[in-house]
């Protein structure tokens, strides 16, 4: 099992397939903020609530030039159904090969899914915040608040 990336470290430049089965790498987000959140399994109550919370705040993230990407080890078709069922407007990324989860140290001990962990990555590709033990309720709001702090610090 690999270690979590820490604040100040460069984000791993890995990728996978989106729910639409398009290839995507994290480098595609260079030049803007990225909220990269890992969740265990689509269609479960906690993962649904977490996705809904990020989606509800998506316009506020976008106003700060931040994209939101949810990553799980589910297949693209499963992610497409999950997205469509809940009308998620952000990207869901499939990590069936577990390359992304391994690179970010989020893979559970059994190796089948990710722990619920969120990274905030700056426009230069550096980790600016890590939430290693996410509690779903209020989490998206905490990530948005931290992003606002960081963007505010940069504008001074």
């Amino acid at each position: 099992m690999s270690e979590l990336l820490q604040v100040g470290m460069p984000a791993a430049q890995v990728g996978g397939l989106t729910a639409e089965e398009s290839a995507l790498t994290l480098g595609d987000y260079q030049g803007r903020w990225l909220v990269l959140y890992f969740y265990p399994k689509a269609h479960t109550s906690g993962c649904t609530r977490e996705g809904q919370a990020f989606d509800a705040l998506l316009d506020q993230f976008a106003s700060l030039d931040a994209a939101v990407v949810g990553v799980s080890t589910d297949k693209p078709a499963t992610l497409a159904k999950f997205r469509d069922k809940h009308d998620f407007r952000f990207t869901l990324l499939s990590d069936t090969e577990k390359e992304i989860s391994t690179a970010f140290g989020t893979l559970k001990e059994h190796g089948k899914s990710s722990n619920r962990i969120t990274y905030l990555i700056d426009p230069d590709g550096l980790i600016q915040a890590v939430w290693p033990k996410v509690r779903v309720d209020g989490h998206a709001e905490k990530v948005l608040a931290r992003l606002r702090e960081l963007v505010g610090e940069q504008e001074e």
Side-chain angles (χ1 to χ4, degrees), residues 111-131:
K112 295 179 184 167
S113 63
S114 281
N115 286 299
R116 196 178 305 280
I117 295 169
T118 300
Y119 287 94
L120 182 58
I121 302 167
D122 74 13
D124 295 321
L126 298 176
I127 307 288
Q128 291 299 323
V130 183
W131 289 267

Side-chain angles (χ1 to χ4, degrees), residues 134-145:
V134 170
R135 291 192 179 274
V136 172
D137 296 330
H139 176 63
E141 292 83 355
K142 288 177 186 171
V143 175
L144 182 60

Side-chain angles (χ1 to χ4, degrees), residues 5-118:
L5 298 182
Q6 302 297 316
V7 170
M9 293 175 74
Q13 295 302 306
V14 291
L17 291 176
T18 66
E20 298 82 18
E21 297 197 32
S22 300
L24 177 78
T25 67
L26 299 185
D28 294 339
Y29 292 96
Q30 198 81 8
R32 61 188 301 212
W33 288 90
L34 175 61
V35 175
L36 188 68
Y37 83 93
F38 292 84
Y39 61 97
K41 190 165 179 52
H43 301 290
T44 58
S45 62
C47 297
T48 298
R49 288 195 343 265
E50 187 174 22
Q52 289 169 329
F54 276 115
D55 195 73
L57 298 173
L58 197 61
D59 293 339
Q60 293 179 59
F61 281 108
S63 73
L64 298 167
D65 198 27
V68 174
V69 175
V71 180
S72 78
T73 57
D74 294 305
K75 294 177 180 164
T78 302
L79 297 181
K81 288 177 188 169
F82 187 47
R83 176 204 60 213
D84 294 347
K85 181 177 181 180
H86 301 289
D87 295 319
F88 293 148
R89 299 170 293 151
F90 56 88
T91 299
L92 294 177
L93 191 57
S94 173
D95 186 28
T96 56
E97 301 298 316
K98 297 158 185 88
E99 180 184 359
I100 308 166
S101 302
T102 300
F104 280 85
T106 65
L107 204 58
K108 289 186 176 186
E109 299 251 345
H110 59 59
K112 295 179 184 167
S113 63
S114 281
N115 286 299
R116 196 178 305 280
I117 295 169
T118 300

